[in-house]
Amino acid sequence: MKPVNIVLGVIGFDCHSVGNKILEAFFSEAGCKVTNLGVMVSQEEFISAAIETDARAIMVSSLYGHGEIDCAGLREKCIEKGLEDIILYVGGNLVVGKTPFAEVEAKFLKMGYDRVFGPDCVLEDVVELLKKDLDTRLKGND
Amino acid sequence: MKPVNIVLGVIGFDCHSVGNKILEAFFSEAGCKVTNLGVMVSQEEFISAAIETDARAIMVSSLYGHGEIDCAGLREKCIEKGLEDIILYVGGNLVVGKTPFAEVEAKFLKMGYDRVFGPDCVLEDVVELLKKDLDTRLKGND
Amino acid sequence: MSSHMLSRDSFNRIRSEILETWPTGKDLSLEEGIEYQKKIPTAKNFAVAMRKASEAGETLLQPRAGVALIQDHIKLLQYLENEGAADLLPTTIDAYTRQNRYQEAAVGIEKSLQARTSLLNGFPAVNHGVIGCRQVTEAVKKPIQVRHGTPDARLLAEITLAGGFTSYEGGGISYNIPYAKKVPLKKSIEDWKYVDRLVGIYEENGIHINREPFGPLTGTLVPPFVSHVVAIVEGILALRQGVKSLTLGYGQGGNMFQDIAALISLKSLAHEFFKREGFSDYELTTVFHQWMGGFPEDEAKAFSVISWGASVAVLAGADKVIVKSPHEAMGIPTKEANAQGLRCTRQAVNMLRDQKFPIGGEHRKEIEMIEREVRSIMEAIYRLGNGDVENGVVAAFEAGAMDIPFAPSIHNHGKILPMRDNEGYIRVFNKGNLALDDEIVAYHRARLEERAKAENRDVCFQMVTDDIYAISKGRLVGRPR
Amino acid sequence: MSSHMLSRDSFNRIRSEILETWPTGKDLSLEEGIEYQKKIPTAKNFAVAMRKASEAGETLLQPRAGVALIQDHIKLLQYLENEGAADLLPTTIDAYTRQNRYQEAAVGIEKSLQARTSLLNGFPAVNHGVIGCRQVTEAVKKPIQVRHGTPDARLLAEITLAGGFTSYEGGGISYNIPYAKKVPLKKSIEDWKYVDRLVGIYEENGIHINREPFGPLTGTLVPPFVSHVVAIVEGILALRQGVKSLTLGYGQGGNMFQDIAALISLKSLAHEFFKREGFSDYELTTVFHQWMGGFPEDEAKAFSVISWGASVAVLAGADKVIVKSPHEAMGIPTKEANAQGLRCTRQAVNMLRDQKFPIGGEHRKEIEMIEREVRSIMEAIYRLGNGDVENGVVAAFEAGAMDIPFAPSIHNHGKILPMRDNEGYIRVFNKGNLALDDEIVAYHRARLEERAKAENRDVCFQMVTDDIYAISKGRLVGRPR
Ligand code: B12
Ligand code: B12
């Protein structure tokens, strides 16, 4: 993968920092230039960081259950700020309570996220998907 | 309870002896005269023992799962041998596999057992029911 | 009865008789069985798997499972090796076959076909014959064993070994006293001599077959020394017939320290007596059975019992653990429940495999206690048998010098009453005629008095009943209600 | 910042400010709260329950639970005390309230009403106010505690104590470093001084309120000495403000021997430092948290982790165990799943409660190791604070002499890297600036080299990652894949 800028962070008032540290290490290893905003990141902070670093993708984590509230509207705000093309991934324990993944996925796809991941996702697969999505966007831009 | 003769045993080729020993101790304590045939008792042995001891009730155990096969026909054989009035109780893990108790109960009631008990039955309650059933039969005989 | 290796002549004479007892035995060729076994890949050999586990310090997982029909049984086993990740597979035999009631088993197969579900509590291997067994053993990837409870298991052994099974559970005592009512011990031991000799013949032909005496007996408050004596005696009898791969078993008692002491002493005591009998060419491994008594009905609680058993198995260094399911209290588990038991166990085994359990002084004492108890009974057996274990053990059961608690057999005295002490160790409350010296008995008594004092009641029979129900009612020691 | 008891004047000044921060705080009367608490029956007092458990050698069970709406929350708690047989109840506070975002919490309540299910991850006690809290605490029979993760928990404390809760979790370090990003440690410690003083005032008025510093911190590979130091420091700070009932916590590490050593040393070390600070009039109890790191998704495996945690809690002699559910890896548990966790735990606790764990020589060594580590850091804290713990701990975090692994706070150095040794003990791989003497560090390193050798790789960062995933992937030590 060509070095690509991505922004990473845990949204809302979520303090779960372990997965975030692992994601940073993993995506860096995989060749991304990672801007890790850490935990407790607002939608605004994600967007400014993406603009500043000219990022191609934002990786949103939400573990603590408030994902449904915290993640809504990010796509719209991105478009507003001119990030029409940015890839939005979201992952973690996205809703309150054990819920069939298909339901969760549908909910977040509808919110405008490109891909949705459960806590059990295999990071190697995520990188593959990211490469694919980056390629598609590039072609789309041609 | 007035001393009443009962016959106890584990039907078929079932070797589970622990519950049987406990039932013997319990019913004796509760004032029954218990003829305990132990494990691996055939229908014929139950009936002869009941006739010999002039028993008012037969307590059949089946733990090992073949209850459905082993217990069928006992009521008919009792009637054949002149034990029209005898009380038949059956208890244990009566069928193969975890099954809702209502289903199991229906099956064995249909076979002609007066009462059906799961492995979790409270023995104190069983004695109460036995007293009640003995009373009813007595009155019925008047 | 003789305490030597069964001669080939006697073997052949018996063989021709027993093969006649059911059509599937007819024309069974031992040679063809041996040739067939030679083609089974080493990775599927049970004896090899046990040895390797022991060398690597691993604990292998094995469930129990068996249903009436071949295709269903195959699906069940494949599910357990794929979804359950079992290391070793079983084929549990139904209770009619165990009593040689092949006719009833046939009815069970018939009714199961009609009901579209198994009405038998196991796989009727004799009825399905060698061809049926081979369908099963060929359909799985893992080593596979016959698990049953058959006093006369000769035909079953002939058919299943020719059918590709590479391990066979049971023994002349452990598959009689807890499993039968009227079979004389002399007879079952004689019949198992045949089974062991059959395994010996396979061994002589280069086929490694694992043999596993059934450790837990009645599964109910069995003091370690009782099951150890049976395991050691059956081990000796098996080795005499040429068995080479032996797995001795022990059923979880519930107190962790006693259980660990039991498993450690089982191995050292077995070596001690095998050596005394002049054996040195054998492979000895151990198996730990998760709680074999009454289970709690609630599945969350059952999981706890399963996990605890798995933990102790690993801490005790067992080479294999036999796994229960969350359905245990209710009925034969579905394949899903069985796999849940396996996954719960796997988690515990893997979390604990690297943790070393150092044996301290307190603990050493319990090991020595078990050693004394076992030696005390074994000496009585040798004495009663004029130096011969086989004659001795029969005489010991007759005299009650050896006695198994709560067993159904009329050939067992049934006078021994076990009970838990204040910490949950299984002790002897009533020794009956058990050949235990007075010092040992006094020690047990003292420990029981401790409990009685703590519970403010006398040592009494009610305690035994309370102890029997304890685990299923959610604790270890049956305290007054 | 001062290391003395907050004066009543300062307390009152702060009080009037913080009560203004949300409408439900307005006009809150401390006197009325105290009067209300006086009417709560002793059987529902948390501090009393903890003391009694400790005296009787029992281990009490407590789940975590909290939902957005009052009625649902009551139903949940009643279910846990009836179906789950919990000994102690929680009220887990939602994450908006924890960050004092009462406006967001209000939105969460609104959305939960609409969705007819809780969209908040806890009970927003501030929004529900004293009246709401009293509805909850009056609806249950068991002692009930506030469990949260709030750096500034002053308003929450005022409302919940007046609302009838008799125990309050948290502390200035343990509810900041693992739970917040930018809150200065000085500030959170100062704010918790207020909370402790509030509890002290209740105590002075005859109301016994239990305080529980949060033991597990980030729940991820926390070496015992790290959480012990936090627990001891927070204990001292609480005692200074007049707290009398203290429960110190520890989160399961995974190696049974290290965990038992940790719980034993936690108590003795706490007494040692409390004495050094001149305290003698307090009740000290302990709480053991079942595995606080990533759980396996499979419920059968999760049950195994739960049961194992329960077992170690009992063997370690914890007075309380915090219970997880089989849903842990996925989401906030349903009430049914939560009760399953309780029943699984109860079974383990009851099976093990009578079993005594003798501490052998090997084991004694680990206890001494933890003692050395804790004393080493505590000395640094005293040194950096010129004899004062409060100033010292702030300075120690600033200097990295004290450091919590994987924490989100920017006021934590985050240089320390823990890792499991070959037997699963948590050791320090990279000590950062941690105030550990060279001998200790060398010992840790040697144990890690053992593992590296066994795994045929160098001691490396990958091991840390492997260890983080290990339990959720079904083992303890993250061996190479
Ligand atoms: C110990 C045990 C054994 C021991 C028995 C030793 C012995 N000789 O007693 C051994 C290991 C030998 C054994 C063998 C087998 N067992 Co078994 N065994 C158990 C176990 C774990 C406990 C039984 C026990 O002793 N409970 C304690 C006593 C006090 O309770 P109880 O027996 O249930 O009896 C009480 C009640 O049922 C009730 N009750 C019983 N009868 C009656 C009658 C009346 C009228 C009334 C009112 C009440 C009543 O009152 C009793 C006293 O409280 C149970 C599972 C469990 N319960 O946890 C399986 C279980 C009974 N066994 C089972 C099976 C299948 C077998 C085998 C066929 C092997 C196999 N395929 O797995 C063989 C049997 C071979 C044969 N020929 O019978 C199954 C039965 C399955 C089913 N029904 O679907 C069970 C349920 C396990 C399982 N889930 O698979 N077993
Ligand atoms: C450790 C832990 C804590 C620690 C966190 C310490 C810290 N600062 O990190 C403490 C104890 C402090 C804590 C607190 C809380 N926690 Co917590 N916690 C956990 C726990 C046990 C493990 C999390 C963890 O570290 N996992 C290991 C890492 C490596 O995995 P991960 O976080 O899942 O991240 C991976 C994947 O999710 C994925 N991923 C994550 N994000 C993204 C994004 C993208 C784009 C992709 C591709 C992948 C991806 O990749 C990551 C790396 O592999 C989980 C349950 C579990 N998983 O077992 C609960 C859990 C996450 N916590 C939970 C809750 C609710 C809380 C609290 C609100 C308290 C409460 N009410 O119970 C507070 C949070 C307060 C706050 N302000 O945030 C809930 C969330 C419930 C829900 N969603 O329904 C969980 C699921 C537990 C539960 N079942 O109730 N927690």
Side-chain angles (χ1 to χ4, degrees), chain B residues 9-17 39-42 60-71 90-97 108 119, chain C residues 66 92-99 101 104-105 108 118-122 148-149 178-179 328-333:
Chain B
V10 187
I11 201 165
F13 297 95
D14 192 335
C15 73
H16 290 90
S17 46
V39 304
M40 300 193 168
V41 181
S42 67
V60 179
S61 293
S62 177
L63 285 308
Y64 72 157
H66 292 181
E68 222 172 318
I69 303 180
D70 296 339
C71 294
V90 66
N93 300 80
L94 293 168
V95 301
V96 170
F108 283 80
Chain C
T92 303
I93 305 299
D94 72 290
Y96 292 136
T97 302
R98 292 167 185 224
Q99 301 297 326
R101 308 297 296 216
E104 275 89 346
S118 181
L119 292 182
L120 290 180
N121 55 18
H148 45 133
Y179 280 99
E328 178 63 16
M330 298 309 293
I332 301 225

Side-chain angles (χ1 to χ4, degrees), chain A residues 17 37 39 64 70 98 120, chain D residues 96 121 181 297 299 329 406:
Chain A
S17 47
L37 305 173
V39 303
Y64 72 155
D70 296 339
K98 185 167 180 168
D120 57 334
Chain D
Y96 292 137
N121 54 18
K181 185 174 178 178
E297 275 190 49
E299 297 192 16
F406 311 112

Side-chain angles (χ1 to χ4, degrees), chain C residues 233-249:
Chain C
V233 169
E234 290 190 358
I236 292 171
L237 299 181
L239 293 175
R240 266 194 202 154
Q241 303 304 325
V243 167
K244 297 289 173 202
S245 167
L246 257 185
T247 303
L248 298 189

